[in-house]
């Protein structure tokens, strides 16, 4: 009864969908869109987007969970598999960077910033910086988690898991404090970039470790056993997710996002989904990387007013999501053949 690969893929897809909601509506709505439903002085869409700030930590949890399963099943090829995973991700990233930053940025007359000077381009190309697209900060963070996964997993297997969790939580608290209180420490660009990488990675380790330990200790199985006999199971689980949204609205600090995110993972994956919902989630998950990589170009950089043109939050969300999916299909026309060619020639079996 542990989470299957299919379930973790679906959950990652939902995390990217939540990221889109967060970036669309967790901002001042004046002169952008016209919400109809308010809770106090804020639109309902704001509180839903606030809950969605757990999106990255959901992705980290699922990554730790899935990578630990991969290591357990195929320990001999784990490092090689991770190398291929990162290779494909960076090829995807570089395709988007070249198409949107170099080509589209130049065509739209924004070359002063996209791509800007050579140093800016190099920092972004290596994913050390994310000045082109703020959502790209997670790329280098995820790469570090994948590279360090063998060390992290050995630590989990040799040290009491509660000590490991405590240490990871201390890193999380440090990362949160640094991110909020001391995000800038130097006027020297490379030092500032490395500092940013440090505290964001410290934030990400805790949910990653939680994911690995959750599989190791079979947390999902225990939870499923406790809810399997609930009457009106889906309705109760949806109600509990609603309570998570309310709780986070009452405690709006980003610090609690990792806890609301992990709770959401277990609640959502305990639900019994219809085949239609599963097909939608599968489709969304296959395009989640491209949605992550391109959505901020639409809603912040190149087409902000156009993205909010429908005016109503629900229409805006599906309008932008639809364009992201359409663009994703276009990106894959370049990325997938390139990936196959490079894998065939650089990683022959």
């Amino acid at each position: 009864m542990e989470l299957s690969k299919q379930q973790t893929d679906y959950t990652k897809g939902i995390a990217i969908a939540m990221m889109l909601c967060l970036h669309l509506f967790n901002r001042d709505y004046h002169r952008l869109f016209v919400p109809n439903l308010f809770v106090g002085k804020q639109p309902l869409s704001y509180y839903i987007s606030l809950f969605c700030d757990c999106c990255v930590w959901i992705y980290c949890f699922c990554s730790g969970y899935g990578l630990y399963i991969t290591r357990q099943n195929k320990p001999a090829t784990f490092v090689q598999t991770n190398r291929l995973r990162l290779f494909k991700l960076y090829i995807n990233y570089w395709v988007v960077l070249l198409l949107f930053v170099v080509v589209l940025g130049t065509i739209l007359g924004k070359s002063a910033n996209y791509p800007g000077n050579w140093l800016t381009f190099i920092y972004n190309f290596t994913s050390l910086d994310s000045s082109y697209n703020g959502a790209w900060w997670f790329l280098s963070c995820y790469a570090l988690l994948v590279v360090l996964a063998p060390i992290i997993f050995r630590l989990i297997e040799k040290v009491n898991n509660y000590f490991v969790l405590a240490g990871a939580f201390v890193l999380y608290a440090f990362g949160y404090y640094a991110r909020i209180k001391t995000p800038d420490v130097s006027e020297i660009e490379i030092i500032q970039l490395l500092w940013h990488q440090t505290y964001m990675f410290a934030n990400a380790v805790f949910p990653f470790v939680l994911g690995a330990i959750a599989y190791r200790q079979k947390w999902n199985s225990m939870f499923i056993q406790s809810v399997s006999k609930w009457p009106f199971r889906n309705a109760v689980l949806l109600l509990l997710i609603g309570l998570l949204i309310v709780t986070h609205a009452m405690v709006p600090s980003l610090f609690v996002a990792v806890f609301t995110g992990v709770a959401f993972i277990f609640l959502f994956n305990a639900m019994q989904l219809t085949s239609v919902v599963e097909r939608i989630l599968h489709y969304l998950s296959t395009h989640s990387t491209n949605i992550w990589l391109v959505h901020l170009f639409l809603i912040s950089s190149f087409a902000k007013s156009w993205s909010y043109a429908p005016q109503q939050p629900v229409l805006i969300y599906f309008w932008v999501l639809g364009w992201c999916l359409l663009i994703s299909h276009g990106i894959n026309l370049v990325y997938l053949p390139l990936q196959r060619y490079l894998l065939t020639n650089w990683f022959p079996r």
Side-chain angles (χ1 to χ4, degrees), residues 21-328:
C21 180
L22 172 68
H23 291 157
L24 276 170
F25 304 119
N26 197 251
R27 55 175 69 189
D28 184 4
Y29 67 90
H30 295 93
R31 299 182 181 179
L32 276 181
F33 59 96
V34 183
N36 291 324
L37 298 176
F38 282 79
V39 179
K41 295 182 179 180
Q42 290 286 2
L44 177 62
S45 58
Y46 167 78
Y47 291 109
I48 295 173
S49 71
L50 182 66
F51 173 73
C52 291
D53 66 3
C54 62
C55 55
V56 172
W57 309 144
I58 289 176
Y59 201 94
C60 288
F61 180 96
C62 290
S63 296
Y65 196 101
L67 287 174
Y68 193 81
I69 294 175
T70 301
R71 182 175 177 272
Q72 292 291 98
N73 293 339
K74 298 180 180 179
T77 60
F78 183 62
V79 173
Q80 174 67 8
T81 300
N82 284 350
R83 188 180 297 121
L84 289 174
R85 177 179 285 106
L86 290 180
F87 176 79
K88 290 188 285 188
L89 176 59
Y90 269 87
I91 293 300
N92 199 164
Y93 168 66
W94 287 328
V95 167
V96 172
L97 186 150
L98 292 173
L99 289 176
F100 277 80
V101 174
V102 178
V103 177
L104 191 58
T106 302
I107 291 173
L108 295 178
K110 297 178 178 288
S111 58
N113 296 314
Y114 304 95
N117 61 52
W118 278 105
L119 189 58
T120 299
F121 181 79
I122 290 170
Y123 281 152
N124 280 271
F125 189 82
T126 57
S127 73
L128 188 60
D129 194 9
S130 56
S131 61
Y132 293 150
N133 186 314
W136 290 356
W137 70 265
F138 183 62
L139 181 64
S140 56
C141 190
Y142 174 76
L144 280 173
L145 288 172
V146 172
V147 169
L148 295 176
I151 298 172
I152 295 172
F153 293 161
R154 280 198 294 271
L155 186 66
I156 288 171
E157 291 168 350
K158 292 184 178 181
V159 179
N160 183 290
N161 286 175
Y162 294 105
F163 289 146
V164 177
L165 276 177
F169 178 75
V170 169
L171 283 176
Y172 178 74
F174 157 76
Y176 177 81
Y177 180 86
R179 182 178 182 180
I180 302 300
K181 299 296 185 181
T182 59
D184 301 316
V185 296
S186 176
E187 294 182 358
I188 301 173
E189 188 173 17
I190 186 64
I191 294 176
Q192 180 57 39
L193 290 175
L194 291 173
W195 172 242
H196 178 267
Q197 295 287 341
T198 299
Y199 65 71
M200 296 308 290
F201 178 74
N203 268 173
V205 168
F206 181 49
F208 186 83
V209 167
L210 273 172
I213 291 177
Y215 176 76
R216 182 175 170 80
Q217 296 190 354
K218 310 304 180 190
W219 290 358
N220 192 64
S221 295
M222 291 186 288
F223 182 68
I224 291 296
Q225 287 176 355
S226 68
V227 304
S228 59
K229 296 181 180 180
W230 286 4
F232 309 106
R233 177 168 154 184
N234 278 8
V236 174
L237 291 168
L238 282 173
L239 177 62
L240 291 175
I241 291 173
L243 289 176
L244 280 180
I245 297 174
V246 173
T247 301
H248 196 16
M250 297 172 64
V251 186
S253 171
L254 180 64
F255 188 80
V256 304
V258 67
F259 304 106
T260 57
V262 172
F264 173 81
I265 291 169
F266 288 112
L267 291 171
F268 173 78
N269 283 290
M271 295 177 65
Q272 297 168 313
L273 304 178
T274 66
S275 59
V276 173
V277 172
E278 288 184 341
R279 286 197 295 271
I280 292 172
L281 291 176
H282 174 72
Y283 175 70
L284 186 62
S285 69
T286 60
H287 292 277
S288 60
T289 298
N290 283 332
I291 295 172
W292 160 45
L293 292 174
V294 307
H295 74 279
L296 276 186
F297 284 123
L298 294 181
I299 66 179
S300 294
S301 303
F302 295 158
K304 187 175 181 179
S305 59
W306 176 78
S307 295
Y308 287 93
Q311 289 295 291
Q312 300 300 317
V314 173
L315 297 179
I316 291 168
Y317 184 84
F318 286 105
W319 168 255
V320 175
L321 178 61
W323 278 106
C324 285
L325 290 168
L326 183 62
I327 291 169
S328 177

